[in-house]
Amino acid sequence: MHEGLSNRAHLQTYFLAARDLTLNLCQPLVYDDYLVQSASFVSPPKWHLGHTTWFFETFVLQPYCQGYESPNPKYRELFNSYYHSVDRPMSPAQRSLLTRPSLPEVLMYRDHVENALVEFLTHTVSAEALQWIELGIEHEEQHQELLLMDIKHIFHSCPLQPLYAHNLVPISSAHSLKLDFVEFAGGKQKIGYDGDLFSFDNERPAHFVDLRPFALANRLATNRDFLEFIDDGGYDDPDLWLSDGWEIKMRENWKAPLYWETGPDGPCSFTLRGPRRLVYDEPVCHLSYYEADAFARWAGARLPTESEWEAASATVLMDGSFLEAGSFHPSVPQDSHVPGAVSLSQMFGEVWQWTQSPYLSYPGYRRSAGALGEYNAKFMCNQFVLRGGSFGTPTTHIRPTYRNFYPPAARWQFAGLRLAKDIG
Amino acid sequence: MHEGLSNRAHLQTYFLAARDLTLNLCQPLVYDDYLVQSASFVSPPKWHLGHTTWFFETFVLQPYCQGYESPNPKYRELFNSYYHSVDRPMSPAQRSLLTRPSLPEVLMYRDHVENALVEFLTHTVSAEALQWIELGIEHEEQHQELLLMDIKHIFHSCPLQPLYAHNLVPISSAHSLKLDFVEFAGGKQKIGYDGDLFSFDNERPAHFVDLRPFALANRLATNRDFLEFIDDGGYDDPDLWLSDGWEIKMRENWKAPLYWETGPDGPCSFTLRGPRRLVYDEPVCHLSYYEADAFARWAGARLPTESEWEAASATVLMDGSFLEAGSFHPSVPQDSHVPGAVSLSQMFGEVWQWTQSPYLSYPGYRRSAGALGEYNAKFMCNQFVLRGGSFGTPTTHIRPTYRNFYPPAARWQFAGLRLAKDIG
Amino acid sequence: MHEGLSNRAHLQTYFLAARDLTLNLCQPLVYDDYLVQSASFVSPPKWHLGHTTWFFETFVLQPYCQGYESPNPKYRELFNSYYHSVDRPMSPAQRSLLTRPSLPEVLMYRDHVENALVEFLTHTVSAEALQWIELGIEHEEQHQELLLMDIKHIFHSCPLQPLYAHNLVPISSAHSLKLDFVEFAGGKQKIGYDGDLFSFDNERPAHFVDLRPFALANRLATNRDFLEFIDDGGYDDPDLWLSDGWEIKMRENWKAPLYWETGPDGPCSFTLRGPRRLVYDEPVCHLSYYEADAFARWAGARLPTESEWEAASATVLMDGSFLEAGSFHPSVPQDSHVPGAVSLSQMFGEVWQWTQSPYLSYPGYRRSAGALGEYNAKFMCNQFVLRGGSFGTPTTHIRPTYRNFYPPAARWQFAGLRLAKDIG
Amino acid sequence: MHEGLSNRAHLQTYFLAARDLTLNLCQPLVYDDYLVQSASFVSPPKWHLGHTTWFFETFVLQPYCQGYESPNPKYRELFNSYYHSVDRPMSPAQRSLLTRPSLPEVLMYRDHVENALVEFLTHTVSAEALQWIELGIEHEEQHQELLLMDIKHIFHSCPLQPLYAHNLVPISSAHSLKLDFVEFAGGKQKIGYDGDLFSFDNERPAHFVDLRPFALANRLATNRDFLEFIDDGGYDDPDLWLSDGWEIKMRENWKAPLYWETGPDGPCSFTLRGPRRLVYDEPVCHLSYYEADAFARWAGARLPTESEWEAASATVLMDGSFLEAGSFHPSVPQDSHVPGAVSLSQMFGEVWQWTQSPYLSYPGYRRSAGALGEYNAKFMCNQFVLRGGSFGTPTTHIRPTYRNFYPPAARWQFAGLRLAKDIG
């Protein structure tokens, strides 16, 4: 959470910190890694560097900073992701064609825009401009996680499969957490953000919902759980699957989560630290909604709604393992060691948690005009909400009310699940 | 509504009436029309005749009627739509390959199953079997509307474009209804079915929702309204569209609702009564969710939620123009002639009304095991709810709590919209 | 060969005989079989009936028969296959959409055109018109074989797999022919047609080619031969395949000729007489060019050129098993029983023989203007020549100079091969 | 032509010169340009650098040079283009995924292999190894032209459209050559290579063909000629086109040669020297076979056969503008200024000339076993022969008997045409 961003000195600090973190995430890359698009949904890292810069140039410097000059007016179109209100965006699948501007030119573009923005902040700045800067920082943070997701896909697609970070020491699974359910009474609950700090428009307006009694699992579903599902024929039983999910599973021949492989000594998965034997007690990751939903049905449970998740999350602290921890991988939950007590572990960080809630506007939501309205609202269809953040999410970016969203077939994001149940 | 279906004499009457209606709908077809599949989402009429029969054979006669013999055990696989719990279903896109059984053989199959079921009903029948028969009748009614949708698509795809029924007399538009909004206070409302008669599992359990104040348009959106949207560049303004909708609109080059064409004297549409100039005051039909949603945004309004629609529908009678009226086309709303009063016209019949509600289970819903669970639950993803029935829906089939659903890109169903607004 | 077709009485006889044979071939069909298009390259039998009629109407009656009236002028577009010089042809993949005209209407169209043409022949007819009638008869004969190919594909695609004709008695393979090669000296050979009777323009002009010494196999390649190729890994060894062939084999997962299956008692194939165990000494059928070419390479041989084939064919009589024999299947070659003599068996009939010759014009060929030029010339690209006719070719249709042609990946035609070798 | 390559000192000189030329061609690239694959048929320049190196390592050093060690044994698979006899080749469409080895690593790989080969040549080397080295040099030369083709496509695909070389001075068209035809008597002609120097196996064996009298245009078809074809509706008249060509033209919406655009001042094309107004008298370039064939038919002529082309080429010197000239673009033909004489201009260099000859083996050709047999023979299907070389072909690479080949729909190679006619 960005406290006091209306204070311009703080804002500059946050801005520069966010910009630095993006570049730091690129340290393990060689030049070639910046340019490839290993799938239509992946963007080349160079494009992320240009696009996050474009955001500040287009929405802050050009409208609010008199006398600002772009290093190249054509960047306005080249680095536009999907904002029709700005200019005709390039087709996302063609981003690898941008051999020019070259990587050094993009880095110079970053520098140019950063300097201009720091200089801009030394003057009196309108509240509106400040809001756009704040949004630009949040936008940069979102691309930090996307960058990590895309780098993982790019490294996996290269036959030589480079390492992003050094190998993990396998963790002893001695203290694995026994599955248990924590009960909640439900009732009238406030959902959504109504504080004074930053939040996305999709978290507002805060409103009340009536929840029936429910229970949430005390831990995330693990690789061990998911292997049981596989071994029990979970991928072969259409009765467990949504119709659309079964179809895509058949077409794409899914037999396990993305990045899983069968190694000579058992199941492995490709990680940002290279191929690695599955650690059974780690949270399962890289599931589509369809797989999470089928798993939950197989387990005799269901996915939580986002309201249930948000209400339950109020009972725990928002700690957890995020991007800055540098694990680049979900970790085994630690037992709380308090005898008799059952509580929710790993509600934040590690892996995003699929909910059964379609990504929709909250009651009373109004789509803003122009680019701001394009930021979130036009994706409110055919997507599902995920909650809690992951090992790839910057700490400053997450909130209990934060709503991430992906199409139900997407699997390259760091997504797992936590089981839920009706009670009473 | 099927009252007293537990009474077996009534049940037989309903059963035979439903079976007759299906065949009656096929009267305008020549043999060749029964066999074609003009798109992957269309089924040949012969297949509908076989599949609705298969449903009674598979779920009633085979499990409950001792000694029943199928005319051909292979039909079990051939006419299975999507029930994995029965047998491996054929790919829906390949239904036109079924040159055998021939049409006469399918008609004999219908006859055989009908006779067996009537005979079966002369004996003591378990409550479970009676429920399956009731479901089979409802299923037959659903296929009656599908049949009409598919016939329209087939006739339109044939270059000679045959008529299903004779030409309509153009209706004078003198009494067209001025658009107005009817206000509702919202508050706690009961949603879903809790009566004793038949309803689908997706209408249950009834539950309470809290609605904010809202208003619904007094009439359906008309062709005139939609032409204004088109003339105002509605199909060219990405700001009005959901992202997925814009993409499919571009890919499929949508410029108007399905079946619209530009005739020498202005806009026309293909109807079950042949090509015909647009009647401006008729409800607009054959819209995708994306078009309905973009139109509502353009109009400064929104689509209703299904809860709003259901709550508001309690203020009107469930009359309207359904399949039995034989219009095969939506009609111009009639003014109520009560000075000063504004009320909801055409809440039932004419065209299905898109809501903004994704098709999801109600709180507390439990998916049944086996085939019953496959009937509805496995489609609860990537679809939106439509309400109110259409000119293609049998009168006996509709209820205020009835939830129809289609993927947001589908346009061949008889679907239009009614605007809604927040108030207060 | 049509002798004396300039004699009008003979012409009428040939015309009516050809028209009758087409209908006779449809005897085993039920109504439903006439309407389906089981692949984009298959045409519904109803369409064949309409299109062959359209040919006479469009190229004979309309230009030459004063006062001729079509039963429906729209047929001109509906039944056009690919003649851009006539009108915009329908997309071939959409022929199943033609539910109207219905089958009875198409049969009445046939009758109407036949009567008009017979009446037309009672008058003085120009030589040009007579040539078009002759071409129309040849065209009808080509569609007779296509009809049989398409019916086989349609019957195979229907899960109930109907029989076209009754089961064959398995033939004893006692007298199977040992593979041997017949040598030819080559030298200057006349290729192409220069007689006075009908031939297609692609068989002309006759011209001389210089052939090097070569040898042809005394028999067609058999199922036994081809099983050896399969068992020896022929489908898994890229060294045997053309690059394009390997790619399509991988993409479509070919592991055997079209219509082959693994039955409980060994390899089977689907025939016009139903599924049937492979008879090892029958000629192998339903090969693509790629498979024929790979087989030949595996066998240490090659496919013949069309010139070699034509030169060699002069040494044998043009007898063989054609359509009129009603076998609907290739037969085991009979030994000639002449001790010591080796001769070419089954050079005509049974299965078309792939040659290594691309389908090109002969030197000095000139493409005719208009529809005549579209008949053959525009296909002279990406196709290969086949020679000799098959069990599906009408006897009157074949000649030693006859050039059939298919794209190298096509497999639904009745095509096999005969090995060739360089000698000397 | 490589004279005296059996002389090892010469061989080393040729080898190093070829390797240098490849790198020189990359001088105008920035790092980013090396890595992109702008279409499935394009390879990233980095891949060309690796693959041409791999060829020497795989076919010379590993089999013949004792003690040779590869910098990375995995390169054997990564840089294999299509040789199944070596190892499983990567899918060509996935070459951009090779972010590792990085560009510097690939350049070090080049250096390593070059040094090893130069050292290898200081020892006694078998004739077989020398032949492979020679083939490797020829292979490198082929990739030089491919590199230029691919760079042009990559530069054109980048929205900023960088220049490969500086702009050309527009050439005065004062001396444009009037179209005329040069006649040839035909008769028995020797075709193919039978000399002692290097040639590809597809140029052998030399053999005699009988040619009918023919005429060849004195110059290549020009942009002016092709604009007339376009203005006359050439792209809209199906009668001019081969059936397959018409289909792909419709599907891909061709309206002009590849890289042509409509500029504000008339037709332009993208060149290696940037976008540029069409120079009317330059040879037309970037045609598919289908376009060349349709143009020739429109012009009342035809494409030459490769035999005609080769026979005619004996009447002129093999000079012309090749890669080393550094024009990177075809040039306007110069009048010979010899009054009354008509001769063939630009038979070599400028643009490859499509012939009507499918790419097939010559009579008596035998495919070699292993990798050598994969070099050419497996592409002898669905391709057409082009002759004469282009501005992108190294001078040392071309011969009158040289046979280039492309699929008829390919347009990114430097291909135009010369008209031919029957005479007598």
Side-chain angles (χ1 to χ4, degrees), chain B residues 249-367:
Chain B
K249 178 203 83 80
M250 294 295 280
R251 197 167 62 240
E252 304 200 350
N253 200 24
W254 293 348
K255 296 183 180 311
L258 183 64
Y259 298 133
W260 282 31
E261 272 157 41
T262 309
D265 308 317
C268 294
S269 79
F270 180 78
T271 77
L272 283 162
R273 297 170 187 276
R276 179 163 175 258
R277 288 195 56 183
L278 271 194
V279 176
Y280 293 138
D281 291 304
E282 283 175 4
V284 62
C285 191
H286 292 298
L287 297 181
S288 65
Y289 175 82
Y290 296 123
E291 287 159 300
D293 170 76
F295 170 82
R297 189 165 295 111
W298 167 83
R302 61 171 174 80
L303 297 175
T305 65
E306 62 168 329
S307 298
E308 290 169 345
W309 189 96
E310 188 171 325
S313 76
T315 65
V316 298
L317 290 179
M318 200 183 68
D319 53 12
S321 184
F322 293 105
L323 179 59
E324 291 81 353
S327 67
F328 306 125
H329 198 74
S331 39
V332 173
Q334 299 303 306
D335 204 336
S336 63
H337 300 297
V338 184
V342 178
S343 63
L344 300 173
S345 69
Q346 297 185 322
M347 276 294 274
F348 295 93
E350 310 304 352
V351 296
W352 288 98
Q353 298 163 52
W354 281 111
T355 75
Q356 66 169 241
S357 301
Y359 177 50
L360 295 175
S361 60
Y362 284 160
Y365 172 84
R366 282 169 206 274
R367 180 172 174 169

Side-chain angles (χ1 to χ4, degrees), chain C residues 146-224:
Chain C
L146 280 166
L147 196 52
L148 210 59
M149 287 157 53
D150 288 353
I151 290 170
K152 184 167 184 177
H153 198 274
I154 290 166
F155 278 27
H156 181 254
S157 301
C158 176
L160 295 182
Q161 300 207 338
L163 300 189
Y164 180 79
H166 289 295
N167 271 307
L168 285 171
V169 180
I171 294 169
S172 145
S173 60
H175 295 290
S176 77
L177 216 50
K178 197 175 150 290
L179 177 66
D180 213 331
F181 280 83
V182 182
E183 304 202 341
F184 295 88
K188 197 157 193 165
Q189 299 283 343
K190 194 176 76 173
I191 297 299
Y193 190 76
D194 63 357
D196 298 328
L197 304 180
F198 177 86
S199 74
F200 283 108
D201 62 347
N202 61 21
E203 302 167 57
R204 291 188 300 260
H207 58 286
F208 285 89
V209 299
D210 249 328
L211 295 182
R212 298 153 55 103
F214 67 98
L216 282 196
N218 62 327
R219 61 165 173 78
L220 298 165
T222 64
N223 290 329
R224 185 189 305 280

Side-chain angles (χ1 to χ4, degrees), chain B residues 402-418:
Chain B
Y402 191 95
R403 309 171 77 201
N404 200 355
F405 52 91
Y406 279 98
R411 314 206 299 166
W412 96 116
Q413 73 281 22
F414 309 125
L417 81 140
R418 177 184 305 272

Side-chain angles (χ1 to χ4, degrees), chain B residues 70-252:
Chain B
S70 175
N72 189 334
K74 290 191 183 160
Y75 293 177
R76 190 175 168 90
E77 190 168 336
L78 299 183
F79 291 118
N80 183 357
S81 51
Y82 55 70
Y83 294 87
H84 292 281
S85 55
V86 174
D87 238 332
R88 235 170 62 96
M90 276 188 66
S91 161
Q94 308 224 318
R95 288 171 183 163
S96 74
L97 299 182
L98 286 176
T99 59
R100 318 293 177 95
S102 68
L103 178 59
E105 287 169 322
V106 169
L107 291 171
M108 287 187 272
Y109 177 41
R110 279 186 80 83
D111 202 37
H112 176 88
V113 164
E114 283 167 21
N115 292 346
L117 201 132
V118 167
E119 162 66 17
F120 174 61
L121 279 173
T122 63
H123 300 91
T124 306
V125 174
S126 69
E128 202 179 77
L130 287 175
Q131 277 178 359
W132 276 104
I133 295 171
E134 207 171 0
L135 185 61
I137 295 169
E138 298 283 340
H139 175 257
E140 182 104 19
E141 289 173 344
Q142 290 180 313
H143 278 274
Q144 287 159 2
E145 181 156 3
L146 281 166
L147 195 52
L148 211 58
M149 289 157 53
D150 288 353
I151 290 170
K152 185 168 184 176
H153 199 275
I154 290 167
F155 277 27
H156 181 256
S157 302
C158 176
L160 294 182
Q161 299 207 339
L163 300 188
Y164 180 78
H166 289 294
N167 271 306
L168 283 172
V169 180
I171 295 169
S172 145
S173 60
H175 295 289
S176 78
L177 216 50
K178 195 173 150 293
L179 178 65
D180 213 332
F181 280 83
V182 183
E183 303 202 340
F184 296 89
K188 195 158 193 163
Q189 300 283 343
K190 194 177 76 175
I191 298 298
Y193 190 77
D194 62 357
D196 297 328
L197 304 179
F198 178 85
S199 73
F200 283 108
D201 60 348
N202 61 22
E203 302 167 58
R204 289 187 302 259
H207 59 286
F208 286 90
V209 300
D210 249 327
L211 294 181
R212 300 152 55 103
F214 67 97
L216 281 196
N218 62 327
R219 60 166 174 77
L220 299 166
T222 63
N223 288 330
R224 185 187 308 280
D225 299 336
F226 208 80
L227 276 166
E228 275 181 51
F229 167 76
I230 295 176
D231 291 345
D232 196 38
Y235 277 92
D236 303 317
D237 180 359
D239 216 31
L240 297 171
W241 291 71
L242 287 164
S243 180
D244 287 358
W246 183 256
E247 209 177 285
I248 195 172
K249 178 203 83 80
M250 294 295 280
R251 197 167 62 240
E252 304 200 350

